């Protein structure tokens, strides 16, 4: 079923973007609460990037009426586990295709919260090689304690079911065990910019802005 989903999405994606520029991608990684979404919003305001949050796309699909994967996604999120890569890539590709079809100049994407493990990375390489260029990784580095405190504060108004201590502790462990090794792999290839995310939003963005200006 997942293979069919990805296959159909792949054909549609290739058909839609064959006449426009290849997507240019920055992976945005860091622990839960590191400020990835906040910084991505500021990047979108200052640069011609489109922000795609893997988590937001999955949560939207989970809540979409008639979704055949809604319950599966819900179970994974509540347990702090990583959703099967076929679902995530399908949603990312669909969003990129829709964005680029509407505006051919919008081919730069911030993919926030992906790849989160080796399976994600292999899935991306398998299905997106030659179809999108990964420029580098923005790594927002922050202590576990700060991440948890930020998420608990966010949970008071976010309405997210996973902004509670039990889910957060599971998410932190998943991040440490699964995502940090992916960041380390990109570091070996010189494709990671590490940013101290424990500081204020404006201080962090000053570093982010300098990096993007350098890379443009």
């Amino acid at each position: 079923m997942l293979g069919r989903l990805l296959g159909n999405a792949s054909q549609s994606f290739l058909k839609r973007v064959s006449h426009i520029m290849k997507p240019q991608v920055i992976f945005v990684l860091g622990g839960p609460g590191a400020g990835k979404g906040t910084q991505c919003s500021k990047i979108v305001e200052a640069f011609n990037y489109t922000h795609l949050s893997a988590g937001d796309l999955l949560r939207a699909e989970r809540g979409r009426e008639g979704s055949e994967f809604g319950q599966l996604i819900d179970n994974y999120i509540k347990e702090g586990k990583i959703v099967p890569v076929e679902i995530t890539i399908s949603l990312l590709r669909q969003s990129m295709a829709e964005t680029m079809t509407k505006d051919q100049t919008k081919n730069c994407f911030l993919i926030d919260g992906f790849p989160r493990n080796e399976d994600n990375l292999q899935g991306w390489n398998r299905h997106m090689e030659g179809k999108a260029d990964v420029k580098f990784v923005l790594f927002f580095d922050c202590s576990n304690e700060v991440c948890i405190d930020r998420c608990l504060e966010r949970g008071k108004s976010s309405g997210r079911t996973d902004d509670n201590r039990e889910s957060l502790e599971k998410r932190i462990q998943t991040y440490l065990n699964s995502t940090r090794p992916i960041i380390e792999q990109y570091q070996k290839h010189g494709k990671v910019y590490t940013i101290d995310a424990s500081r204020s939003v404006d201080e962090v963005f000053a570093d982010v802005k300098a990096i993007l200006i350098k890379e443009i």
Side-chain angles (χ1 to χ4, degrees):
M1 182 182 294
L2 294 179
R4 186 179 73 249
L5 170 76
L6 195 52
N8 292 340
S10 177
Q11 291 177 13
S12 175
F13 181 83
L14 291 173
K15 190 177 296 183
R16 288 180 179 182
V17 304
S18 60
H19 65 293
I20 52 185
M21 295 176 66
K22 188 185 296 185
Q24 303 296 300
V25 171
I26 296 174
F27 288 143
V28 181
L29 296 175
K36 300 184 296 297
T38 299
Q39 293 300 320
C40 284
S41 295
K42 294 183 75 65
I43 294 170
V44 168
E45 289 177 7
F47 300 90
N48 193 36
Y49 277 86
T50 298
H51 175 210
L52 299 179
S53 164
D56 286 351
L57 289 171
L58 289 166
R59 283 185 284 273
E61 181 66 16
R62 174 181 61 174
R64 185 175 65 81
E65 186 175 354
S67 170
E68 60 181 313
F69 300 111
Q71 187 59 54
L72 175 68
I73 293 170
D74 188 54
N75 292 340
Y76 273 88
I77 289 177
K78 284 182 178 177
E79 288 300 313
K81 296 179 180 178
I82 296 172
V83 174
V85 67
E86 289 84 0
I87 295 175
T88 307
I89 290 182
S90 172
L91 295 173
L92 288 169
R93 292 211 289 204
Q94 181 180 347
S95 295
M96 285 192 288
E98 289 174 353
T99 299
M100 294 172 66
T101 299
K102 290 176 184 176
D103 184 348
Q104 294 184 22
T105 69
K106 300 282 287 183
N107 72 315
C108 296
F109 296 90
L110 303 164
I111 298 187
D112 165 10
F114 183 94
R116 293 182 61 201
N117 64 2
E118 183 66 26
D119 183 53
N120 278 185
L121 180 59
Q122 293 302 321
W124 176 272
N125 291 339
R126 190 166 57 248
H127 298 293
M128 297 302 293
E129 185 175 4
K131 302 178 183 69
D133 293 331
V134 178
K135 299 175 70 176
F136 54 88
V137 174
L138 275 179
F139 170 36
F140 292 98
D141 194 13
C142 198
S143 72
N144 298 343
E145 293 76 15
V146 170
C147 285
I148 289 175
D149 288 344
R150 286 178 176 175
C151 287
L152 290 175
E153 184 63 30
R154 179 179 68 188
K156 295 177 182 178
S157 58
S158 70
R160 284 179 51 168
T161 59
D162 55 343
D163 276 344
N164 61 79
R165 184 166 292 276
E166 183 180 359
S167 288
L168 283 166
E169 289 176 354
K170 291 178 181 177
R171 288 163 62 196
I172 289 285
Q173 284 307 309
T174 297
Y175 161 70
L176 293 174
N177 296 333
S178 301
T179 307
R180 285 300 292 264
I182 300 304
I183 295 168
E184 290 165 6
Q185 284 190 48
Y186 277 104
Q187 284 174 327
K188 292 177 182 177
H189 297 287
K191 296 188 72 174
V192 174
Y193 285 101
T194 301
I195 298 166
D196 178 4
S198 64
R199 299 167 298 161
S200 72
V201 170
D202 289 340
E203 287 175 315
V204 172
F205 185 63
D207 286 356
V208 171
K209 190 173 180 180
I211 291 167
L212 292 179
I213 291 172
K214 173 186 173 184
E215 288 287 339
I216 289 175

